[in-house]
Amino acid sequence: MKGATAWPRVIDMRCRPAYLHDFFGKTPASEGEAVARWLNRRVGTRGDDGHFIRSRTPAGFLSEVHEGGLSRAVVVGRHTPSQHLPNDTIHAIVRGHRDLIGIGSVDPVLQGRDAALAEAERAVRTLGLAGIDIEPGFGDPPRHCDDRVYFPVYELCAALQVPVFLMTGPTTPDLRYNDPAPLARVAQAFPSLPIVCYHGWWPNVQQALGVAFRYENVHLVPDMYLFQPGREAWVQAANSFLGDQLLFGSSYPFRPIRQSVEDFLALGFAESTLDRLLYENAARLFNLS
């Protein structure tokens, strides 16, 4: 960050518009809106817990991104038995907007190995999406990320030179699958593959930090859980060995963008690390000039 009063460069690694899905508060007075409001209160939103309503339109979402002071916003797809955000939908959101980056998704269990690989390659090569998200703990049945069914996806992403994104955290339907230990086997098997862990395996913070300490290709995005108990460990790690492996995410629409940046700046990260955490680590991940 340049100067005490300057707004930093920020790439928001997890930022979705409300209009993307009912889960994000797309429909007025719906159960999805109620859940989105509840989660905003739960993770420390100050003020209006319905701030995200503005992003029920594409123009509103772009205004949120710009007024939040973001350099880039990363819009993430999902493919699970309970929620599918198609790659073409993600592409349609980010297409033509230099400040938006799209992440595709596949599920080799639901789609089958060959179809999932074909779709992942199409998402990257044809649609221009910047990585692939998989969600082993949200499968039916749930799996750990080192389940062999996912290894072909890891192999393809390594060949395509794009990151893999893993969904983790306490919303995993069976919390036994929110376990960072299997991640070590994936990181060891694919040392050239950047692995980005959304929600940072919270609340299993120390275990996740241990895996990231050992494997430099593991990146943690605690996003909204960075502001929950356990934050001190992430800050201490970022101020020592994790400075190149921790990235910022607001988890919008479940937390306001600008408030999340302000709260991030107040957590105690060393001044010398802030530009890396907020911008440079993500820019390197996506090969941004």
Side-chain angles (χ1 to χ4, degrees):
M1 190 170 72
K2 300 177 181 179
T5 60
W7 189 255
R9 300 184 299 172
V10 181
I11 296 176
D12 188 338
M13 290 293 295
R14 192 169 181 83
C15 187
R16 291 73 47 89
Y19 71 81
L20 180 57
H21 195 274
D22 274 348
F23 179 65
F24 303 128
K26 174 182 179 179
T27 304
S30 66
E31 181 180 353
E33 179 182 325
V35 170
R37 286 177 178 270
W38 172 84
L39 192 51
N40 268 276
R41 296 192 299 272
R42 199 72 169 168
V43 298
T45 294
R46 298 189 297 273
D48 182 13
D49 61 14
H51 63 89
F52 55 85
I53 288 173
R54 185 184 189 190
S55 71
R56 284 177 175 160
T57 67
F61 176 59
L62 289 172
S63 294
E64 290 284 278
V65 168
H66 298 155
E67 293 174 21
L70 299 180
S71 303
R72 300 281 201 284
V74 179
V75 183
V76 188
R78 298 187 80 177
H79 197 155
T80 72
S82 61
Q83 187 180 121
H84 184 201
L85 308 177
N87 295 328
D88 287 300
T89 299
I90 302 301
H91 171 63
I93 291 172
V94 304
R95 181 180 55 205
H97 299 288
R98 185 176 178 276
D99 44 4
L100 300 182
I101 296 171
I103 302 300
S105 61
V106 296
D107 185 330
V109 179
L110 287 175
Q111 297 170 278
R113 174 188 180 276
D114 291 346
L117 292 178
E119 177 59 13
E121 185 160 9
R122 185 184 77 90
V124 174
R125 292 191 184 278
T126 303
L127 300 183
L129 302 183
I132 296 296
D133 175 84
I134 60 173
E135 308 199 6
F138 291 78
D140 184 16
R143 290 171 164 83
H144 291 293
C145 63
D146 67 342
D147 192 297
R148 297 296 299 191
V149 74
Y150 301 109
F151 273 51
V153 178
Y154 300 143
E155 291 169 0
L156 176 63
C157 288
L160 293 173
Q161 297 184 315
V162 297
V164 160
F165 295 78
L166 297 176
M167 175 68 164
T168 76
T171 57
T172 305
D174 185 335
L175 285 173
R176 291 174 296 180
Y177 292 88
N178 184 40
D179 179 4
L183 174 63
R185 290 184 281 274
V186 179
Q188 183 180 48
F190 300 94
S192 67
L193 174 65
I195 304 167
V196 183
C197 306
Y198 283 128
H199 298 339
W201 302 96
W202 190 84
N204 300 315
V205 179
Q206 295 290 354
Q207 296 93 323
L209 291 175
V211 177
F213 177 88
R214 175 63 180 83
Y215 298 101
E216 294 183 41
N217 58 327
V218 170
H219 302 76
L220 303 178
V221 184
D223 47 79
M224 62 187 176
Y225 296 109
L226 183 60
F227 310 105
Q228 304 307 306
R231 66 180 72 96
E232 297 83 3
W234 273 316
V235 173
Q236 290 169 359
N239 288 344
S240 56
F241 70 88
L242 200 69
D244 294 327
Q245 294 167 259
L246 187 77
L247 300 91
F248 169 80
S250 69
S251 213
Y252 184 91
F254 301 131
R255 217 172 188 275
I257 296 169
R258 198 168 189 89
Q259 180 196 322
S260 295
V261 177
E262 291 169 348
D263 290 350
F264 188 97
L265 295 172
L267 287 176
F269 291 110
E271 186 78 13
S272 60
T273 69
L274 283 174
D275 196 46
R276 281 184 285 159
L277 305 179
L278 288 167
Y279 183 87
E280 288 181 2
N281 293 343
R284 182 179 65 253
L285 197 70
F286 295 126
N287 295 313
L288 300 180
S289 58

